[in-house]
Amino acid sequence: MPRFAADDGLGLAYDDAGQGPVLLCLAGLTRNMDDFQPVVDRFAARARILRLDTRGRGGSDHDPDFMNYNLIREGRDALNLLDHLGIARAAILGTSRGGLIAMMLAAGHKDRLAGVCLNDIGPMIEPRGLAYIMDYLGKRPGYADYDDAAEKLSVKMAARFPGVSRDQWRAYATRLWDQAPDGLALRYDPQLRHAVAEASATGAMPDLWPLFDALDGLPVALIRGANSDILSPDTAAEMRRRRPDLIYAEIPDRGHVPFLDEPQAVAAIGAFLERLT
């Protein structure tokens, strides 16, 4: 796996596959580049797909200062990757936190963006979804191995992800956790929990609509899980109202977040790439 040094010296892992318009994939809060393997499998013949493990996640180094786990620093890491590869502009496919990073970059570095595809994230984040994330953030999952995880996830996640097979949940588990002698272990820095807690200490949610509006003039797509507890139907509807040209796909039987291998998600990403060429 190739690596490069961010401008503060931290080592970050990335992947570079395919050819065509550049699509930079940024994962969710605790996730890593493996979430985008379906995108590579489906679209590497149509796009140059970059996948970044954000600092503290996957194959990237953990930051000794957990307060550097913030959207501004992580956005700078994304730009550092583009600079490292000599890429002037890229489209971003951002899942959850990755989408927030994309919107922040649109507000401050729009000249570096060719478009943004948001996977189950918008300018308003539902409190119940955040509460669910904080319940597990920074804690080991408690599963003995990948088979144990598949068995229990198929029950735990059934309401939001009905019909997902145990094989699919096993593949999900291998992307999210590492096998350790005493059970599955996190593939991210557990200090991320403290960073998020510090950032949300005031309890007030910032107004992120100006960040979404900063996408004006760029191709934009939105993928939403029909059962999402992070992106509400009302927020998605307002995003569509503000951007009548928005490419939109709602994925049935998916919560936060869609896997990006669903037919509706594949179609949305394909339509988004068409607007980049």
Side-chain angles (χ1 to χ4, degrees):
M1 182 185 302
R3 292 167 59 87
F4 75 104
D7 60 18
D8 65 351
L10 198 74
L12 304 179
Y14 71 96
D15 184 64
D16 186 350
Q19 53 188 336
V22 180
L23 182 66
L24 172 60
C25 299
L26 301 177
L29 177 65
T30 64
R31 311 293 278 267
N32 57 74
M33 69 171 75
D34 288 350
D35 274 356
F36 299 103
Q37 189 60 49
V39 180
V40 176
D41 293 343
R42 187 64 182 252
F43 293 107
R46 295 179 53 186
R48 180 181 177 185
I49 300 170
L50 306 179
R51 297 181 292 163
L52 175 64
D53 274 346
T54 308
R55 61 180 54 216
R57 287 80 153 185
S60 291
D61 292 346
H62 293 187
D63 197 307
D65 180 0
F66 68 76
M67 289 307 293
N68 285 329
Y69 297 135
N70 65 72
L71 295 175
I72 294 173
R73 176 65 255 186
E74 292 166 16
R76 192 180 309 155
D77 291 342
L79 295 180
N80 287 169
L81 174 59
L82 297 183
D83 292 341
H84 172 72
L85 296 173
I87 296 170
R89 295 173 72 239
I92 294 180
L93 168 54
T95 292
S96 196
R97 185 179 180 94
L100 295 178
I101 294 170
M103 288 190 284
M104 288 199 69
L105 289 175
H109 301 274
K110 194 171 184 177
D111 60 311
R112 305 298 302 272
L113 300 186
V116 171
C117 179
L118 301 168
N119 183 21
D120 211 61
I121 193 66
M124 294 191 67
I125 301 171
E126 295 303 300
R128 66 189 180 98
L130 284 178
Y132 178 82
I133 290 169
M134 288 305 298
D135 188 54
Y136 69 75
L137 184 59
K139 304 174 185 177
R140 292 181 64 165
Y143 304 132
D145 53 32
Y146 295 127
D147 291 326
D148 183 42
E151 180 77 21
K152 291 173 180 173
L153 284 168
S154 64
V155 175
K156 179 181 178 180
M157 307 289 276
R160 283 171 293 154
F161 290 81
V164 176
S165 70
R166 291 181 184 176
D167 285 347
Q168 287 174 292
W169 283 124
R170 193 182 192 284
Y172 169 93
T174 63
R175 294 193 297 269
L176 191 53
W177 300 300
D178 284 329
Q179 181 68 63
D182 58 346
L184 295 187
L186 302 179
R187 288 187 68 194
Y188 65 88
D189 186 351
Q191 294 297 312
L192 191 59
R193 178 180 183 86
H194 299 300
V196 173
E198 287 282 344
S200 57
T202 64
M205 286 295 294
D207 180 9
L208 302 181
W209 283 108
L211 302 185
F212 178 74
D213 292 337
L215 298 171
D216 182 54
L218 295 174
V220 179
L222 175 63
I223 297 166
R224 177 181 180 270
N227 300 330
S228 177
D229 59 0
I230 287 288
L231 177 60
S232 73
D234 287 347
T235 299
E238 177 61 13
M239 294 166 75
R240 297 176 76 184
R241 187 193 70 79
R242 295 190 185 206
R243 285 295 302 266
D245 62 336
L246 183 78
I247 297 167
Y248 181 69
E250 184 154 309
I251 316 301
D253 298 333
R254 293 291 184 267
H256 184 75
V257 292
F259 301 148
L260 300 180
D261 60 356
E262 304 89 355
Q264 301 90 341
V266 169
I269 296 169
F272 176 68
L273 291 176
E274 286 292 329
R275 293 193 183 175
L276 304 181
T277 55

